[in-house]
Amino acid sequence: MKEKKKGGFMVAEKQQFDVWKEDMEPVLDSKLDEFHLLGYNRATKEDIWRCVTERLNKKKHYVPFYAFTNELLNLKASVYMTWLTVNSYKEPEDWFAEFEETESKK
């Protein structure tokens, strides 16, 4: 977060990572390929992006472009899988919806 002085107080400004998303496409592709080679075939670019941005949003200081790129390139599969697990508890999905839909068509 970038801090600005406003009325004598330091105010933290929320960082906007989404403006870098287009520039990060080659890095996201590379990381996605890496995870697929490691056997994580259900990994998506959107999940990798969300994992990194949510981790960096917790930082109290401004994250420059090069540091964001470094964080993305150094993302470990174990960190990504932990993030997925925690988010699966936060955002429950109906895992059986696809199965039930297939069964109902039979």
Side-chain angles (χ1 to χ4, degrees):
M1 286 196 237
K2 216 176 212 176
E3 294 187 355
K4 290 185 175 179
K5 209 161 198 156
K6 204 177 232 185
F9 296 101
M10 295 300 279
V11 178
E13 181 182 304
K14 188 159 178 85
Q15 187 158 350
Q16 303 291 321
F17 293 119
D18 290 333
V19 296
W20 294 338
K21 191 168 186 178
E22 188 177 319
D23 296 330
M24 288 291 168
E25 279 297 319
V27 179
L28 283 168
D29 289 335
S30 173
K31 187 53 69 174
L32 183 65
D33 290 344
E34 177 187 332
F35 284 175
H36 285 180
L37 285 171
L38 292 172
Y40 300 106
N41 294 326
R42 296 184 76 184
T44 64
K45 285 196 282 189
E46 189 59 37
D47 282 344
I48 294 169
W49 179 262
R50 284 183 48 220
C51 175
V52 173
T53 55
E54 285 179 17
R55 290 182 67 218
L56 291 177
N57 275 332
K58 294 177 184 176
K59 295 199 183 261
K60 300 287 184 208
H61 57 84
Y62 177 77
V63 179
F65 184 77
Y66 71 87
F68 184 86
T69 306
N70 186 48
E71 188 74 26
L72 188 54
L73 286 170
N74 288 320
L75 179 65
K76 306 259 186 282
S78 60
V79 171
Y80 173 71
M81 292 306 292
T82 301
W83 176 84
L84 275 179
T85 303
V86 169
N87 273 4
S88 71
Y89 292 124
K90 288 180 182 177
E91 304 166 4
E93 292 181 23
D94 188 1
W95 295 326
F96 299 106
E98 185 179 323
F99 174 74
E100 290 169 353
E101 186 177 304
T102 307
E103 288 297 311
S104 67
K105 289 180 181 179
K106 287 184 181 180

